[in-house]
Amino acid sequence: MSDPTVAERIRQRLAEVIDPELRLPITQLGMVGDISVDDAGAAQVGVKLTIAACPMRSRIVEDVTAAAVRAEGVSTASVELGVMTPEERAELKDHLRGGETGKINRFAQPESLTRVYAVASGKGGVGKSSVTVNLACSLAAQGLKVGIIDADIHGFSVPDLMGITDKPTRLDEMILPPVAYGVKTISIGMFVDGNQAVAWRGPMLHRAVEQFLTDVHFGDLDVLLLDLPPGTGDIAISVAQLLPGSELLVVTTPQFAASNVAERAGALSSQTKQRVAGVIENMGPMTLPDGTSFELFGSGGGQLVADRLSESLGSEVPLLGSVPLDMHLREAGDDGEPVVLAAPESPAGTALRGIAARLAVQPRGISGRKLPFSPAS
């Protein structure tokens, strides 16, 4: 006969099991089914997956088993997997959306407190994507809830830099993004086969970014970073339209040719009404073992962009930091493990963590936004 007291203790332990995709306790998601325990303390736990082909099923089984055997009175535990009914999935989606119906771009709502950074550059090859993933992982390591949208549709590279090989999970029309290093990430590269090229024009590019913002369930984020394509083309304009509260982070290298073009990317904000949160100089001077400085791409370009944007926009645009040339940064990117995690004390890792720390302490603005309070009766 099953002991209801032990079964309840197991259920309490299962509240500690976090779904690896939705990042919420499985007990809140309606994933826990029947629980039975025999006289010898052998427990059987029913778990309902969101879909039959759930890519995280083995991890869920391991986590549920480990949690169940921690309950007092349990000697062994096994998991019986099932699949949610359409009605249960509909209830789950309603729970995730907070009761809202239809497709909504939550990050564009007046009450959203998510800080949105669009990482831009004037030209390609300045390391914008590397900067994006390292800032995201560093912010997540500080305890923030972080997401990345790889908006560089034609030149997507974020999945490789993050070491992501999993495909997103489809919950009917809702898309659950893969999670790596605590960062929820979505990219068009997760939907194409191999190294297939994406040959899309303006309207399709706009639609892709819009779908990432409405169909992908990121949950409540503290920070959302978008890796923009270089230049001031369709996607940069679409992001400004779809995310009017987003801020720009301008990435440049020290050389004059790159900084001159990077200034244009930041100057676009005067037309899109976005705030430039700061400039990041990448591939900056590196310190050699003998203590001398090696300036492969020159120096001072980042500060030059910051100064020029401050003057042209009429508000202070800070240089958030300079990331030196560093072999660790390249090697970590090739290995799919961002340098802020793989080699945090390296010159590049230290600089990127410092920039992330500056961004982390900036409060999520509430000016002009509705707060979830009502007057007491």
Side-chain angles (χ1 to χ4, degrees):
M1 177 179 293
S2 178
D3 186 337
T5 303
V6 178
E8 180 57 32
R9 286 201 287 265
I10 293 174
R11 194 173 294 274
Q12 292 173 0
R13 284 294 186 179
L14 293 181
E16 303 168 4
V17 178
I18 305 299
D19 180 87
E21 293 178 304
L22 296 171
R23 315 299 280 183
L24 291 170
I26 60 173
T27 50
Q28 290 185 20
L29 300 174
M31 295 176 63
V32 180
D34 294 333
I35 300 174
S36 61
V37 188
D38 65 17
D39 293 338
Q44 185 174 65
V45 181
V47 173
K48 292 177 281 188
L49 302 175
T50 53
I51 58 172
C54 176
M56 297 294 180
R57 59 191 299 146
S58 59
R59 178 174 168 184
I60 291 173
V61 169
E62 292 174 3
D63 291 350
V64 168
T65 302
V69 297
R70 289 199 298 269
E72 184 181 351
V74 176
S75 57
T76 62
S78 62
V79 177
E80 182 178 1
L81 293 177
V83 182
M84 288 185 176
T85 65
E87 293 75 20
E88 288 171 331
R89 278 199 301 273
E91 186 176 341
L92 172 60
K93 289 186 293 182
D94 184 65
H95 171 69
L96 294 174
R97 289 170 174 157
E100 297 173 342
T101 58
K103 297 182 179 182
I104 297 175
N105 175 5
R106 292 191 172 197
F107 304 110
Q109 303 307 304
E111 63 271 19
S112 174
L113 295 178
T114 301
R115 192 133 204 176
V116 181
Y117 291 113
V119 185
S121 68
K123 62 190 294 291
V126 300
K128 169 181 50 61
S129 298
S130 294
V131 168
T132 301
V133 301
N134 276 284
L135 291 180
C137 290
S138 185
L139 289 167
Q142 296 178 51
L144 300 181
K145 297 177 182 177
V146 185
I148 294 177
I149 291 179
D150 187 355
D152 194 348
I153 304 298
H154 295 136
F156 54 85
S157 60
V158 168
D160 288 341
L161 293 170
M162 295 283 285
I164 297 174
T165 56
D166 294 328
K167 298 291 186 182
T169 299
R170 287 188 175 273
L171 191 59
D172 298 329
E173 77 284 358
M174 181 182 286
I175 299 172
L176 307 181
V179 182
Y181 310 114
V183 179
K184 296 181 178 181
T185 305
I186 197 70
S187 169
I188 199 67
M190 300 171 181
F191 299 91
V192 299
D193 295 325
N195 203 26
Q196 179 184 346
V198 179
W200 291 351
R201 288 185 170 180
M204 294 181 69
L205 298 173
H206 179 92
R207 178 60 181 149
V209 176
E210 186 175 35
Q211 278 195 282
F212 284 160
L213 291 169
T214 57
D215 293 3
V216 178
H217 179 74
F218 284 101
D220 180 33
L221 296 181
D222 295 300
V223 179
L224 174 67
L225 292 113
L226 292 94
D227 182 22
L228 299 184
T232 56
D234 291 323
I235 291 182
I237 296 171
S238 292
V239 167
Q241 293 172 342
L242 294 167
L243 297 164
S246 60
E247 303 173 64
L248 289 177
L249 294 174
V250 179
V251 180
T252 184
T253 57
Q255 66 188 112
F256 176 77
S259 62
N260 207 33
V261 179
E263 184 184 349
R264 298 176 207 157
L268 179 68
S269 65
S270 63
Q271 301 176 45
T272 60
K273 309 304 180 186
Q274 293 167 287
R275 173 179 173 267
V276 180
V279 174
I280 299 170
E281 182 182 83
N282 194 28
M283 306 183 195
M286 65 184 297
T287 302
L288 299 178
D290 63 1
T292 60
S293 180
F294 179 49
E295 301 176 354
L296 179 62
F297 294 104
S299 63
Q303 188 63 61
L304 180 63
V305 174
D307 292 342
R308 287 181 173 177
L309 286 175
S310 297
E311 182 178 355
S312 63
L313 298 176
S315 60
E316 182 184 0
V317 175
L319 175 64
L320 295 173
S322 178
V323 183
L325 278 169
D326 187 351
M327 188 69 75
H328 292 94
L329 180 58
R330 194 271 301 165
E331 292 174 341
D334 287 345
D335 292 341
E337 184 179 6
V339 72
V340 294
L341 304 176
E345 301 305 322
S346 65
T350 300
L352 286 160
R353 288 189 298 111
I355 295 169
R358 291 188 65 176
L359 295 175
V361 297
Q362 298 190 37
R364 298 196 290 183
I366 61 174
S367 177
R369 303 185 183 188
K370 293 185 291 184
L371 298 178
F373 301 120
S374 57
S377 57

